[in-house]
Amino acid sequence: MELESNSLEKEQVKGAGQGQPSPYASATPGHQPWTLTPGSAGVEWNSYRTDNGSVENGIPSISSYHDDQQTKNTAAFQDGRNVVSYASSVGANTSHDYSAYITNQNSTDPYPYQYQSQYYGYQHSSNDSSHQQVGVVQNTGAPYQPLSSFQNASSYVGPTSYSSTYYNPGDYQTTAGYQPAAAGYQSSDYNNQTNLWNDGNYVPHQYSNYSLPDANAGQCSSTATVDAAHYQQQYGQWAGYYSQTASDVMCAPGTEHVALTSVSAESSVPDFNPGYPVVNSQPPPPGTTSWGRDTTSSGFPSLQGKDVAGYSQNSNWQNGPLVFAKQHGSQAPLHFQQTLGSTPPSYANMEEQQKMAHAQGSHVRFPSSNQVPQNFRPALNPLPTLEALRASKIQIPTNPRIATNLALSIPKMDKESSARDAASTPAYINVSSSKPSSKLSSHDSAESLTKQDFFPPSIRAYVERSFARCRDDAQRLSNQNLLKEIITKASTDGTLFTLDWDTEPLFPLPTTSFDARNKGSPQTSVSLSPLHKLRRSPSRRTKSRWEPVVEEKVVDKVAHLTHVSVDNTSFNRFRTEKVSDVARYESKGNGWNNTKFVSSQQTSSNRNVQRPAKKPRFSDSDAVQNGSVSSDSDKDQDLTKYHSSAISLANSPEERKKREHRSKRFEKGQERLAEQKNYQPKALRQGGGRNRRSNIPLILKNEDGPKRAVEDIDWDSFTVKGTCQEIEKRYLRLTSAPDPSTVRPEDVLEKALAMVQSTSKNYLYKCDQLKSIRQDLTVQRIRNELTVKVYETHARFALEAGDMPEYNQCQSQLKTLYAEGIKGCNFEFSAYNLLCVILHSSNNRELLSSMGRLSPEAKRDETVKHALQVRSAVTSGNYVLFFRLYKKAPNLSTCIMDLHVEKMRYEAVKCMSKSYRPTVPVAFVAQVLGFSSEDADGKDAGGVEDCAEWLRAHGATITVDGNGEMLLDSKVTSSGLYMPEPEDAVAHGDSNLAVDDFLARAAP
Amino acid sequence: MGDAHRRVGDFVRLFSDAFYSQEGSSLSPLLSVSSSSTSPFLLSVADGLAAFQDWGRLLKQVDGQLEDILSHLLRAVQSFRAGRFMDAYIAFEKSANAFLQEFRNWESAWALQPLYTIAYEIRVLAEKADWELGSLGKNPEKLKGAGSYLMKVFGALASKGPKRVGALHVTCQLFKIYFKLGTVHLCRSIIRSIETARIFDFEEFPLRDKVTYMYYTGRLEVYNENFLAAEQKLMYALSHCNFRREANIRMILKYLIPVKLSLGILPTEFLIEKYNLVEYTRVVQALKRGDIRLLRGALLEHENRFLKSGVYLVLEKLELQVYQRLMKKIYMLQRLKDPSKAHQVKMEVVVKALKWLEMDVDIDEVECIMAILIYKNLMKGYFAHKSKVVVLSKQDPFPKLNGKPVGA
């Protein structure tokens, strides 16, 4: 193989204009074995590569090096543009074993290149956890390593990289248009669509995108024999198909696609029509027309003529166009011939998919319409298997032509599925046609809001955040409305650019009645359209909660037409139903947690990868697998209970009206924005569903370009300068960016501190005031001796009042403040800190480091010395020493020790009762355990009484001897001791929070 | 110029040869950036990079991923040579990430060796970078970054394939980082996955990694004062580690001795001297003599060292054993004088003995210590409060620990 490749490579060298002398040719004679012909003067690998590099043809050469099959294809790669991106992606692939991997990369053409280049761009911003996760999963699919690695290369870095790629609405979405044609790929199409919306979600999709085709491997395994001719043919037929459908419906093929965009696909399937008339009757808005025409005119003719230039319409696919056709011609077939297992089919799938994507150009509408059927399918068939079958079924009747084209894989599925559910299928498609669009539009508006050039990135991030937590379209709608109000308000009062949107909290969402619905979608979706309802068996629910929605959604559709956009919700829904582990993810709410999701998704994808290759399965393979991960139907059942409530809400006329109103409100804006959006540079579209944390990087990226380091930002310029002159201020946790007019400057804060220190009011008041002072200091980023003083003051008050949570806050602040070298009562507080660590956290490691941090001067300090002694008393269990230290504790150390006294006493009595025989005088116990308030010799009767009381409460047995002296009967006691339930215990576990008690203690 | 060009070119060629022919052993040294001060070849490459500014051009010939690895690696070499450790680290991390990216794609484990080198290098460079950052008054955070990189590597290794044997090595490197950073709690999760994940068979890992792993987990157990587990792990490390590596043995003994001491097992004088663990000499003496003052002195003298290594608290707890020894001595002396009354030890005697040792204790405290000794089962008998006398059991009044922790 190597030899062969070598020769091939040499050919390549010749062809590629190898005339350039290799700088290493002479320097590396050791590589002679590689050269075949002496005449070529030792063209060895490196030199070869060099040559190629200089000819800008490096990639083919390297792939040839690795994979002889590839070499044959090199001609196809001559395209210089392709080389650039390809080089980075295929890169250093040494292994011959990975031919599949390489081929995959080739085959996916524009997609992987872009992902990868994106990946490189964002490599550093992508979070670590995702990396790790991917690593793990990747390896689990050992036998399919190439494939999974491929996934990695393109997808796992996803969160960041995809966003930009995918945010070109029109281009990618079109992939979905492919759907009606290729049954098996349906799911992947969905993925693509959804990806547009949330990059956070994106990864999973990508996975399924690749894995699903894989799962189809079984069906497609026969495809392995497909040859170039077939592909070409297929390709051509596709073009033909589209043009034909186009001409069917409209007169001018391929040009006036405005209406056609939707019709062309539908028209091919008569069954669908009932759903569509509504759509078509909608007068296309002007924006739509122009847009649609543009895209189609460029996209279609090119397809027909097999002129690849047509693709260049998509700015994203810069390198795509030229290679595309060639790859099809030469590469795909090769690949098929050469590889085994599941990879080739998947490759084929992807390729086809992409082809479709290209072909479809701007058919925005089918994707959505077709997408829905899948969403609803589960409703009909809770069984995953059936579902998958139907998936294929739905598609196939739709596109007979394609079915024949894809003869290898689809017919089989067709047969099987058609038998089962031929009748029910169309109904679903109907349903689907109306539903998704509203979601699209609502979502679209979300995007249009976010993507506007006009707004600063922080607002965009804010908007994205707010949309990210929406769980369904109703929420999204209301969210959108609220957002709009907020932003309008902000722009009218001029705070739009001054407000700190990154810290701006999100407004509360309206009740999530739709959550339930969303979750329950498998069932609910069934009854989507009236038409569908008619066809349904009467036993089913007749009333549809979606009904009202349908009407308004038709309206939305107009808007939707204009925007090439994809829908989060439909995606979400799709996931819930389809992939069960995805559902799991969903149930976690809307935190777009990539890592978790990746992991779960990966498991499934790996399964998909591993299984199907062996026995030829039909299209149900992926569904079955998904089902095996966790049961879909179980979930569905669980969810049924949500229904009833959701229905009532959704059906109420008010709600209906409201929603209609809302959706109309945005129509115009959407059109405008969508147009803008189409022309925006992609960089601005990044970061769809990011979470809050990434806002800063987002700012950086958008404002200053990706290179600018965090350190270089002048954060100081953002600092608030307070102007408020009032000394007293109530504490209120900030819910928005601080308003300078309510923030006190440093000199006022100093007065405020003095006021608090001298006030005679209770702790609650002091705490409140101090917290507000701390807040003002924080927002103004004042960190100096005043800050230390404030925290120290507060810590002391908190200790006195026994408010440990507050004390801990102060202590941790003080720790960092002292570490910055700001002067204060370091020793006192390091002593407190020590005591806290010893007595409360009992973490040896922490104790050691606290002790290790003490400076020699600190160790000489009395307070610290005392704390250290306490520590030693505690570790050795020396209760005598402990209570002596307790009595002479300096400052507020007593307060901290107070909290440990009970425990120490208990331990002590346990120890004493075990070692003393026969009795111990209670007076002695009282003296040793610090009950008596006086010195050791001055016996205080009160102390003894208290002690006896305490002992009894802890299960000790006390006897009285002849002299009337109380004695602790140690033998009996030793077995009867217990820790009584604290009397002041409160439900929440913190007695400090018991209001009565707290107020009593806090009273002045 | 020509020479520099050639040297850099050689490096690139060697690297890509090793890379493509999958020769881990020849790839490893090329990644070893921090050895560029000692390795003549890397040194010459580093100088070549400095002289030949346009070296990026040479990389045009290599393809994507390798170019990524190489360009950052060369930049790291160059920065390291120039003493800019932070830059070196940043570049190296990029290179390492690119390498890891590739590594994931390889099914075989040929690249484990280079990966080990990377894991080591990234830690060393991060330490140097942090030192540089610290001296500039900036936040030293690179070691943390190296830690998260290694976590990624661990993720890439923790799988069923042949690469899993490398997981323990990376774990050990991670331990080093976490111990250095003082974030040992982060070890927990990784230990859990090593010890519970079914893909890992502990015996399957290379011995050296097992020893290192046991050493670190043993140390963790010392922190938790889980002496039995600590002893077991450290003993494993000691008995399996290369006996010629005295430095390693010393490191193990540094923890093993305190652990053994607290289990009542004393080391020989010879051992302590052979491995130069003199800080323990007086501790051991104190235990033998029952000399509490000696123990406290030893603790005070080596306080910082013991605090740093984390054995301070362990040693401090030996105090009780010292008291036990003292009581035993008193008991034996009394038995010599009057065997019939030997089992009754008066508190005055103990107080007097402690006074001789210049310990500032009064009778209450001594009483308390006696109570604790009895309570912790270091002394059998009871304390009579009225007469201030410890009445010792006639049978084995001072039970030996014999490998059991105090109080067990």
Side-chain angles (χ1 to χ4, degrees), chain A residues 135-142 145, chain B residues 154-165 167 199-200:
Chain A
V136 177
V137 179
Q138 180 194 4
N139 290 322
T140 48
Q145 189 83 351
Chain B
F154 182 82
L157 293 170
S159 70
K160 271 187 186 142
K163 291 189 243 177
R164 66 172 185 272
V165 294
I199 42 166
F200 295 122

Side-chain angles (χ1 to χ4, degrees), chain A residues 137 139-144 147 214 342 603-614 625, chain B residues 160:
Chain A
V137 179
N139 290 322
T140 48
Y144 294 92
L147 185 73
D214 246 345
S342 60
T603 37
S604 72
S605 75
N606 276 321
R607 281 175 194 233
N608 288 340
V609 170
Q610 283 170 353
R611 286 197 208 165
K614 293 195 178 157
Q625 278 162 4
Chain B
K160 271 187 186 142

Side-chain angles (χ1 to χ4, degrees), chain B residues 42 52 83 186 291:
Chain B
L42 274 174
F52 175 40
L186 295 175
D291 187 343

Side-chain angles (χ1 to χ4, degrees), chain A residues 472-619:
Chain A
D472 52 57
D473 47 313
Q475 271 198 347
R476 224 163 261 123
L477 267 175
S478 47
N479 187 27
Q480 183 186 321
N481 290 339
L482 287 166
L483 262 181
K484 205 191 171 191
E485 277 161 29
I486 287 173
I487 291 173
T488 335
K489 191 169 166 270
S491 49
T492 45
D493 46 294
T495 51
L496 186 63
F497 294 94
T498 53
L499 221 54
D500 185 3
W501 292 96
D502 292 334
T503 53
E504 182 83 5
L506 293 171
F507 46 86
L509 271 180
T511 46
T512 60
S513 64
F514 286 79
D515 269 15
R517 203 197 292 186
N518 198 11
K519 284 188 186 168
S521 48
Q523 280 93 347
T524 56
S525 52
V526 173
S527 49
L528 217 165
S529 85
L531 201 143
H532 163 75
K533 206 170 56 187
L534 287 176
R535 295 196 185 186
R536 281 224 65 80
S537 67
S539 65
R540 287 272 187 147
R541 187 158 31 88
T542 47
K543 214 151 201 222
S544 160
R545 71 163 77 124
W546 289 107
E547 261 180 291
V549 188
V550 169
E551 290 164 24
E552 87 185 31
K553 283 179 182 172
V554 172
V555 182
D556 285 344
K557 191 133 199 177
V558 183
H560 154 63
L561 262 174
T562 24
H563 320 133
V564 199
S565 50
V566 183
D567 169 13
N568 205 347
T569 337
S570 66
F571 155 56
N572 281 340
R573 180 164 303 188
F574 157 62
R575 283 187 304 162
T576 351
E577 293 152 17
K578 173 107 184 168
V579 193
S580 53
D581 45 359
V582 175
R584 217 187 305 139
Y585 165 65
E586 254 230 315
S587 66
K588 278 175 190 156
N590 275 318
W592 305 117
N593 189 336
N594 297 331
T595 45
K596 272 187 196 144
F597 194 57
V598 171
S599 63
S600 64
Q601 184 64 28
Q602 273 172 335
T603 37
S604 72
S605 75
N606 276 321
R607 281 175 194 233
N608 288 340
V609 170
Q610 283 170 353
R611 286 197 208 165
K614 293 195 178 157
K615 32 191 168 170
R617 290 202 197 181
F618 303 119
S619 64

Side-chain angles (χ1 to χ4, degrees), chain A residues 823-842:
Chain A
K823 294 240 169 353
C825 306
N826 298 28
F827 297 155
E828 184 187 337
F829 279 90
S830 47
Y832 296 158
N833 183 42
L834 264 178
L835 284 173
C836 269
V837 173
I838 300 154
L839 303 177
H840 302 303
S841 75
S842 64

Side-chain angles (χ1 to χ4, degrees), chain A residues 91 94 98 139 845 871 884, chain B residues 20 63 107 156 223 316 362:
Chain A
T94 6
Y98 297 133
N139 290 322
R845 169 86 210 164
R871 182 205 59 78
R884 278 185 190 161
Chain B
Y20 285 119
D63 46 277
E107 219 166 305
Y223 281 136
E316 198 185 41
D362 67 6

